[in-house]
Amino acid sequence: MMEKETIIARATECLEQEAAAIRALVSRLDESFVQAVQAIRDCQGKIVVTGVGKSGHIGSKIAATLASTGTPAFFLNPLDAYHGDLGMLGENDLVLAISYSGATEELLRFLPLIQAKKIRIIGISGNPDSLLARYSDIHLNIAVEREADPLNLIPTASTTATLALGDALACALMEANRFQPTDFARLHPGGDLGRKLLAKVEDVMFTENLPFLRPDMQMSEAIEIVTKGTLGIGIVVDNPSPALPSREREKSLVGIITDGDIRRAMQRLGAEFFGTRVSEIMSCSPKTIGKEAKIVEAGEKMNHHSIHTLIVVDEGGTVVGVVDSFSCLPGTRFYH
């Protein structure tokens, strides 16, 4: 049985070798890489990724990453192309062909069929003098010093480098296309992040038992309402008719009191704090947002102002809810 130290040493060597393979790619980010990004961005059709064996598995993931970041792409096995799938390729498409040796027979037999359709080819291999490189309009070099396995035989460092280069292409394209979180959400509507980015403030805002305060209210009463509200704020509204039922009152926003405001006022006023009116402590310029705004916008606004809550108002300035930073985080529950 292998000793613990031997196991850790072998795993460490593997990871270091793969990390070195990725670092080596940085010096090869040259004009060819720029041309590849531009060719993919300018493609009027689809990006067709192809490869055999381990390269095929990596190619499938690269195609999925491109598709999920706004570049239409799919994977095509060269073997399937001989049995009808060649019809998937259109004249406006672009092929991304992967073979570390650049000499994979099944792939090389497929490339002339691509060229016959006058489709451009971006080749990815570890041999810039390979047949794949010669067939390619643009070639990207992913050569590694050695594979990460002890025998230097198994595609490990080379597949890692290929995958990383595919991610680099996708990231560069995201930058070139100004890909935004909302774009990601539209392509991932079923995921939690997608739901969060597409959801509106009204989907997550608090609407029940809001901590409303009056400007003329004494802080002895106000602090009790803020504490029960659990939001860390008091919403100061101009309510000329407190005798009316809550649902019938106009709640025009005039100010806000936060936990921080209360602590600072207590330190400043001492025993006089509890008899002080809300209007003397409140901030008269609370940050607000409309209920139709996306919650990602609410999160960005809170981050910009370094606050944790926004008051939700309608077009007339009437308070309809409160949204907090926790509600805008991916993975949190929606409040209905």
Side-chain angles (χ1 to χ4, degrees), residues 48-60 74-80 95-100 104 106-107 110-111 124 132:
V48 182
V49 186
T50 187
V52 178
K54 303 296 189 296
S55 293
H57 294 307
I58 296 299
S60 181
F74 68 91
F75 176 77
L76 176 61
N77 190 312
L79 301 177
D80 294 331
V95 168
L96 191 63
I98 306 170
S99 166
Y100 183 72
T104 305
E106 297 90 340
L107 180 63
F110 178 41
L111 297 184
I124 299 179
L132 173 57

Side-chain angles (χ1 to χ4, degrees), residues 163-182:
L163 184 60
L165 186 66
D167 288 342
L169 286 170
C171 289
L173 285 162
M174 290 174 67
E175 181 71 21
N177 294 326
R178 300 181 183 276
F179 193 81
Q180 299 297 315
T182 49

Side-chain angles (χ1 to χ4, degrees), residues 83-330:
H83 300 280
D85 286 358
L86 188 62
M88 294 181 178
L89 274 67
E91 60 181 12
N92 294 321
D93 293 344
L94 177 68
V95 168
L96 191 63
I98 306 170
S99 166
Y100 183 72
S101 67
T104 305
E105 181 180 353
E106 297 90 340
L107 180 63
L108 293 178
R109 287 195 293 132
F110 178 41
L111 297 184
L113 303 178
I114 298 171
Q115 289 183 322
K117 286 178 167 283
K118 302 188 185 308
I119 296 173
R120 298 185 71 194
I121 299 171
I122 298 175
I124 299 179
S125 82
N127 183 359
D129 296 320
S130 63
L131 281 175
L132 173 57
R134 295 176 198 172
Y135 272 122
S136 301
D137 297 281
I138 302 169
H139 180 259
L140 302 177
N141 184 4
I142 51 162
V144 299
E145 183 177 339
R146 59 160 289 139
E147 296 292 359
D149 72 284
L151 303 177
N152 190 27
L153 293 174
I154 309 301
T156 45
S158 60
T159 50
T160 299
T162 307
L163 184 60
L165 186 66
D167 288 342
L169 286 170
C171 289
L173 285 162
M174 290 174 67
E175 181 71 21
N177 294 326
R178 300 181 183 276
F179 193 81
Q180 299 297 315
T182 49
D183 298 316
F184 181 87
R186 281 190 287 271
L187 296 174
H188 299 74
D192 186 68
L193 179 58
R195 289 193 298 272
K196 282 290 179 181
L197 292 172
L198 290 176
K200 296 179 180 180
V201 166
E202 65 180 337
D203 297 321
V204 300
M205 68 183 185
F206 295 90
T207 58
E208 300 294 328
N209 302 316
L210 297 179
F212 288 116
L213 309 176
R214 300 188 311 275
D216 60 349
M217 182 182 289
Q218 291 188 341
M219 287 306 300
S220 57
E221 182 181 356
I223 194 170
E224 183 178 351
I225 295 174
V226 171
T227 301
K228 288 182 178 179
T230 71
L231 293 173
I233 62 168
I235 307 168
V236 188
V237 294
D238 183 9
N239 179 14
S241 304
L244 291 174
S246 175
R247 64 180 178 277
E248 297 179 18
R249 298 177 198 167
E250 281 292 320
K251 299 183 177 66
S252 298
L253 182 65
V254 295
I256 187 172
I257 288 180
T258 67
D259 282 340
D261 293 330
I262 293 173
R263 288 194 301 271
R264 288 186 291 271
M266 292 181 74
Q267 291 175 348
R268 184 176 75 253
L269 300 172
E272 298 177 4
F273 167 80
F274 293 100
T276 303
R277 296 188 183 281
V278 165
S279 59
E280 298 177 46
I281 295 176
M282 71 181 189
S283 167
C284 296
S285 56
K287 304 304 178 185
T288 64
I289 196 165
K291 65 180 182 178
E292 293 295 320
K294 296 288 193 297
I295 62 172
V296 65
E297 179 185 342
E300 290 171 352
K301 192 168 188 176
M302 282 184 272
N303 286 336
H304 177 74
H305 294 288
S306 298
I307 56 178
H308 64 81
T309 54
L310 290 171
I311 309 301
V312 186
V313 295
D314 63 16
E315 294 179 355
T318 298
V319 178
V320 295
V322 174
V323 62
D324 65 7
S325 56
F326 182 75
S327 301
C328 296
L329 291 173

